[in-house]
Amino acid sequence: MKVYKLERPEFLRNWLSEEREVFQPVMDATGNGSWQPIAHGAVEEFDDELRPLMSPKDFFFSEREDLFRFEAGAENPTFKPIIPRIEKRVLFGVKACDLKAIAYQDKHFATDPNYQARRRQTLLVGIDCHAPCEGGFCPTVDAGPTVRDGTADLVLIPMPSVAGEQAGWWLGCNSQAGEHAIWGMNLKLAEEGWDYWRKLTEKRAKASFPNDTQLLNGIRRLNARAIPDELWDKLGIQCLSCSGCTMVCPSCSCYAVEDIKTPTGYVRERFWDSCLMEGFQKEASGANPTQASGKRVQRFWFHKFSDDIASRMDDSYGCVGCGRCEVTCPGSIGVHSVMEAIANA
Ligand code: SF4
Ligand code: SF4
């Protein structure tokens, strides 16, 4: 990785916004933060600690979109794909866990033209974390706290603070697209030793994460399939099928489609679905392998932490340790609660 010195992230943001639409996390009235566009020349400070409750997955895997149109002409019925037209844009300040989730989704949607049309036009500017976020456990699943190699085009690396003051930033460049985007900024190369300080920051950050023994034990027992059905049934009772977990989860990718009638044919619409909903796996015959709520909870967590599934996804779990499900779940069965229950069953 080529690394430069950067006085302030806002200088980079302003440079990038000359030719691209830039989005960054902004605190909003909900108190959860959200991804919002930042105009060129904006003086708004970049909040390097804010991580919105909703991940940026919607930028690529749209919550609701049309996929194709079917025109039922008597002579020439036609299918026309509806590919989104996206201007060049930047996601500025994406945390390591969300970047790992984007890399996971890239693989899952590798041949999806709508996802790829959005992904191709988006430059990812990641940022290293120097402290755990609420409920986060990214080191346990190798998703953070520093940006993992190859998951961002550019990486904002905080320099160590001097007397409590941030001394400045380094800017890591990880891709041709990143190099091209900063060409002309005339940034100076970082002095030797930046990687020592980065590793030290990561070591300190990792040391401040809560103990993850229960989580690891839970994952181990889940893979050993050593969990009694009664426990899944009990956890199932706590699930309200609200789909909050799957909406906030950056690596969840389930969707459903519906064909909507138009005056001349149909439009196929795709929208986010949730495997915690009763009808998710219902078959045309009426059979439903996950009618019982406990089966759905079991299936969800198996998909997150199965070694078999991870081996098909470059050895990455379907969970990037963001902790959002723990924060969101009204039934108190987010990741920590479930893994702890499994570990102690
Ligand atoms: S957030 Fe909790 S209650 Fe809602 S669907 Fe997910 S597991 Fe069930
Ligand atoms: S399962 Fe929970 S902790 Fe894991 S990535 Fe999804 S929301 Fe984050």
Side-chain angles (χ1 to χ4, degrees):
M1 179 165 71
K2 210 163 173 181
V3 179
Y4 302 88
K5 282 200 289 190
L6 180 72
E7 205 175 317
R8 296 183 51 188
E10 290 84 354
F11 294 164
L12 173 67
R13 184 185 71 193
N14 207 40
W15 173 268
L16 296 174
S17 66
E18 267 192 32
E19 288 187 0
R20 304 166 177 82
E21 193 170 15
V22 173
F23 297 84
Q24 76 167 43
V26 173
M27 185 43 82
D28 57 16
T30 67
N32 294 318
S34 55
W35 287 88
Q36 290 182 20
I38 301 289
H40 178 61
V43 288
E44 209 155 341
E45 257 190 52
F46 168 63
D47 182 345
D48 58 322
E49 293 193 357
L50 180 61
R51 191 204 58 180
L53 180 63
M54 291 303 285
S55 79
K57 79 173 168 184
D58 182 38
F59 280 95
F60 310 110
F61 169 36
S62 187
E63 191 170 349
R64 185 171 284 272
E65 67 178 319
D66 294 340
L67 293 182
F68 61 78
R69 183 171 290 115
F70 171 63
E71 298 292 347
E75 305 262 308
N76 283 317
T78 54
F79 283 95
K80 197 168 171 214
I82 304 172
I83 307 293
R85 298 174 71 140
I86 307 291
E87 297 297 324
K88 283 202 284 183
R89 61 189 183 177
V90 178
L91 294 187
F92 194 84
V94 191
K95 305 285 189 193
C97 56
D98 284 343
L99 288 166
K100 188 84 190 261
I102 292 171
Y104 191 84
Q105 302 274 29
D106 284 353
K107 197 161 166 59
H108 184 77
F109 289 107
T111 56
D112 186 289
N114 292 48
Y115 179 99
Q116 292 299 334
R118 296 186 176 93
R119 187 67 182 83
R120 267 196 305 275
Q121 291 294 83
T122 311
L123 192 82
L124 296 175
V125 180
I127 182 167
D128 282 355
C129 289
H130 49 80
C133 56
E134 188 184 355
F137 57 97
C138 53
T140 311
V141 286
D142 188 28
T146 51
V147 171
R148 306 288 99 174
D149 284 351
T151 58
D153 298 293
L154 296 167
V155 186
L156 292 162
I157 304 168
M159 287 183 184
S161 50
V162 178
E165 284 292 312
Q166 174 79 51
W169 294 81
W170 288 298
L171 179 66
C173 187
N174 248 332
S175 72
Q176 259 191 359
E179 193 70 58
H180 187 254
I182 59 170
W183 192 82
M185 267 188 95
N186 296 323
L187 297 172
K188 292 203 170 74
L189 281 174
E191 290 99 8
E192 275 183 28
W194 66 269
D195 51 341
Y196 167 81
W197 290 108
R198 187 186 192 205
K199 278 185 194 132
L200 190 67
T201 307
E202 171 157 74
K203 199 170 159 195
R204 285 184 181 147
K206 277 183 171 172
S208 55
F209 276 82
N211 185 309
D212 63 358
T213 309
Q214 295 276 42
L215 258 166
L216 287 170
N217 284 343
I219 295 171
R220 216 167 287 130
R221 293 204 70 204
L222 188 124
N223 276 294
R225 293 179 168 69
I227 306 149
D229 285 347
E230 297 74 44
L231 178 65
W232 291 120
D233 292 342
K234 200 167 150 224
L235 294 168
I237 291 169
Q238 286 175 249
C239 178
L240 313 177
S241 295
C242 69
S243 79
C245 52
T246 46
M247 298 296 115
V248 298
C249 180
S251 52
C252 275
S253 54
C254 290
Y255 60 80
V257 294
E258 189 178 357
D259 293 336
I260 314 281
K261 190 146 180 44
T262 67
T264 50
Y266 287 89
V267 166
R268 175 157 295 179
E269 200 175 74
R270 170 165 74 177
F271 46 90
W272 290 1
D273 200 353
S274 171
C275 60
L276 276 308
M277 305 282 237
E278 189 182 337
F280 181 75
Q281 278 201 291
K282 194 167 176 188
E283 296 160 11
S285 66
N288 186 350
T290 52
Q291 180 147 26
S293 169
K295 288 265 180 250
R296 299 197 290 276
V297 173
Q298 178 183 21
R299 183 180 183 280
F300 177 85
W301 289 109
F302 186 76
H303 275 239
K304 290 297 168 198
F305 288 121
S306 153
D307 289 337
D308 289 345
I309 295 176
S311 69
R312 282 179 258 143
M313 298 298 277
D314 295 334
D315 285 330
S316 293
Y317 280 137
C319 169
V320 294
C322 73
R324 288 179 172 104
C325 54
E326 190 72 46
V327 176
T328 303
C329 179
S332 302
I333 47 167
V335 61
H336 294 284
S337 317
V338 170
M339 289 304 129
E340 195 180 313
I342 291 175
N344 297 319

